[in-house]
Amino acid sequence: MRFHVEMIARDNFDPMSAVPVQKMVFDQMDKLVKSGKVEEHGIYSDERGGFLILNAESPEELFEMISPLGDAMMVRSHPYVSMRTLKSFFDAYEERMKK
């Protein structure tokens, strides 16, 4: 499954603790990118956060991949469905509504 994963920095650490937290986040992100599971990634220019587009076999695998970031980042993930799938859904729905 493809997931869009958004991560925004938590405000649960003081500025003097930022450097070790930043290092941990960067190291975890680097590990994810090098895993071969990440299709796209980047950081936001207007907020302390970023995103990943990644492939995971299951929600459990996704959890294993991103859970190390949970204490430092608020994490939201959304599974992707292709536009072709959406079109097929709309077509089938239209057919059902005709009956």
Side-chain angles (χ1 to χ4, degrees), residues 13-21:
F13 52 89
D14 64 84
M16 297 306 291
S17 302
V19 172
V21 173

Side-chain angles (χ1 to χ4, degrees), residues 5 14 19 22 33 37 42 45 62-63 69 73 98:
V5 178
D14 64 84
V19 172
Q22 291 166 350
V33 169
K37 299 271 187 175
S45 61
L62 177 66
F63 174 77
L69 298 166
M73 309 293 284
K98 290 179 183 178

